[in-house]
Amino acid sequence: MAMLRDVTVLQAAELPEKTDRELREIFNVLRLPTDEAAIGPLLAEHGTRIRGVAVRHAHIDAAMLDRLPALEIISSYSAGLDGIDVESAHARGVVVRNTSRILAEDVADLALALSISATRGLMRGHDFVREGRWGQIAFPLGRSLRSMKTGIIGLGHIGSRLRAIGAATAYSGPRRKPVDLPYFDSVEGLAAWADLLVVTCPAGPETIGLVNHAVLANLGPEGYLVNVSRGTIVDEQALISALAGNRIAGAALDVFENEPFVPDTLRNDPRVVLSPHMGSGTHETRQQMGDSMVAALVEHFESRSA
């Protein structure tokens, strides 16, 4: 990779060792302090020469952007951009890049695994054998995933890969995609049609609480919910209420509203399968995400100097 030592990049991310090293070899890197009281002095001293930001979980809002007048690009080690004020960034001419294509396959794999776990009762089956109940009583039958109508909220990179399930599939989103699948212009309509509802859409102000009481009511007592996107998209209290009233059959969740806090009612419900926000959590994908984040910065600044 090219050396761009005259370009100052703010590292607002904990990164894999190889990515951290490459970033520092290529750019003049400033690390965002973990102590919030130290952020202001850093930006006051260096903000006018920071041209790039490498971000993971840090919050990049309009106020911070105001303190970075030379900023040209934000490169995110993530599929989501919910911590970044993208509208304000674009208004300032700042390019925003993420790694959504890189992690799509592994997140889709996890969505499929969670779907099977919820509908076939794999976790309950595991406990059934471990606790020595096999041979004493019959294990309850599950559902065949291929026979279930699968509704996908957000047919992007992740959702598109779930078509491989082989079930009847439909989707909803802000606009139609060039695919030969039924389209619903409302999540309520999609939920009423679906047996299995999978959340893969991006997080943003318009999707907070998108899966609410009405959506879960439409999904119905035989329906299952899977969320591999962001916890804020599902109204957690509405989900807890639907489970308590047996108004849905079960759920599988990789993400939660207030991570890592998970309500006891979800942790203790045998119909709910839980995982610790690990959709992209493979060695291979995490490294590819780091490589992509650095490459986006390099390509941007090389194009400016060409």
Side-chain angles (χ1 to χ4, degrees), residues 180-225:
D180 185 23
L181 290 177
Y183 170 75
F184 289 83
D185 59 10
S186 74
V187 177
E188 290 84 358
L190 180 67
W193 173 86
D195 302 306
L196 173 70
L197 190 64
V198 186
V199 183
T200 70
C201 63
E206 69 283 358
T207 61
I208 293 175
L210 183 66
V211 178
N212 55 22
H213 287 282
V215 170
L216 295 170
N218 282 6
L219 184 58
E222 302 299 319
Y224 292 82
L225 174 72

Side-chain angles (χ1 to χ4, degrees), residues 4-13 15 23-24 26-32 42 46 49-55 68 71-75 293-294 296-298 300-301:
L4 295 161
R5 300 296 298 174
D6 61 328
V7 175
T8 299
V9 169
L10 180 65
Q11 182 180 341
L15 299 169
L23 199 65
R24 294 175 179 279
I26 298 166
F27 299 103
N28 175 39
V29 174
L30 298 172
R31 185 181 287 273
L32 187 73
L42 176 89
H46 302 288
R49 60 190 181 92
I50 292 171
R51 297 174 60 193
V53 173
V55 66
L68 303 172
L71 187 63
E72 300 175 29
I73 181 171
I74 299 170
S75 187
M293 186 195 72
V294 173
L297 291 166
V298 171
H300 173 83
F301 290 113

Side-chain angles (χ1 to χ4, degrees), residues 243-289:
L243 288 163
N246 295 315
R247 294 189 295 276
I248 65 168
L253 310 169
D254 184 48
V255 290
F256 306 88
E257 278 191 10
N258 299 300
E259 298 174 4
F261 170 76
V262 179
D264 289 346
T265 46
L266 293 178
R267 290 194 297 109
N268 297 326
D269 192 323
R271 298 165 298 174
V272 180
V273 179
L274 309 170
S275 60
H277 200 155
M278 63 182 199
S280 64
T282 66
H283 291 291
E284 296 81 0
T285 287
R286 289 291 173 86
Q287 189 54 62
Q288 289 172 33
M289 288 166 65

Side-chain angles (χ1 to χ4, degrees), residues 24-289:
R24 294 175 179 279
E25 287 173 351
I26 298 166
F27 299 103
N28 175 39
V29 174
L30 298 172
R31 185 181 287 273
L32 187 73
T34 54
D35 180 1
E36 288 193 11
I39 294 175
L42 176 89
L43 297 181
E45 182 177 357
H46 302 288
T48 57
R49 60 190 181 92
I50 292 171
R51 297 174 60 193
V53 173
V55 66
R56 188 171 183 178
H57 298 304
H59 190 58
I60 310 296
D61 58 12
M64 178 176 281
L65 291 169
D66 286 340
R67 306 191 72 174
L68 303 172
L71 187 63
E72 300 175 29
I73 181 171
I74 299 170
S75 187
S76 175
Y77 179 90
S78 175
L81 297 171
D82 37 310
I84 301 170
D85 188 338
V86 176
E87 186 176 341
S88 292
H90 286 165
R92 291 163 170 77
V94 176
V95 175
V96 181
R97 294 283 183 265
N98 67 358
T99 58
S100 57
R101 290 181 181 274
I102 300 296
L103 54 74
E105 291 188 5
D106 273 343
V107 177
D109 285 350
L110 183 66
L112 179 57
L114 289 173
S115 298
I116 294 171
S117 294
T119 59
R120 295 294 302 274
L122 290 190
M123 301 302 294
R124 283 177 285 174
H126 171 88
D127 292 339
F128 186 79
V129 175
R130 172 167 283 181
E131 293 166 4
R133 287 180 284 150
W134 193 14
Q136 299 177 13
I137 56 174
F139 186 73
L141 299 178
R143 298 285 305 276
S144 169
L145 202 59
R146 288 182 299 278
S147 72
M148 300 175 72
K149 293 181 289 186
T150 301
I152 300 172
I153 303 176
L155 195 70
H157 302 311
I158 298 166
S160 295
R161 285 163 170 76
L162 294 177
R163 298 174 65 182
I165 288 174
T169 304
Y171 72 101
S172 68
R175 63 193 66 86
R176 289 180 181 270
K177 300 292 182 71
V179 294
D180 185 23
L181 290 177
Y183 170 75
F184 289 83
D185 59 10
S186 74
V187 177
E188 290 84 358
L190 180 67
W193 173 86
D195 302 306
L196 173 70
L197 190 64
V198 186
V199 183
T200 70
C201 63
E206 69 283 358
T207 61
I208 293 175
L210 183 66
V211 178
N212 55 22
H213 287 282
V215 170
L216 295 170
N218 282 6
L219 184 58
E222 302 299 319
Y224 292 82
L225 174 72
V226 175
N227 188 6
V228 292
S229 183
R230 287 291 187 269
T232 55
I233 297 171
V234 174
D235 181 333
E236 214 161 74
Q237 290 306 310
L239 174 60
I240 290 168
S241 175
L243 288 163
N246 295 315
R247 294 189 295 276
I248 65 168
L253 310 169
D254 184 48
V255 290
F256 306 88
E257 278 191 10
N258 299 300
E259 298 174 4
F261 170 76
V262 179
D264 289 346
T265 46
L266 293 178
R267 290 194 297 109
N268 297 326
D269 192 323
R271 298 165 298 174
V272 180
V273 179
L274 309 170
S275 60
H277 200 155
M278 63 182 199
S280 64
T282 66
H283 291 291
E284 296 81 0
T285 287
R286 289 291 173 86
Q287 189 54 62
Q288 289 172 33
M289 288 166 65

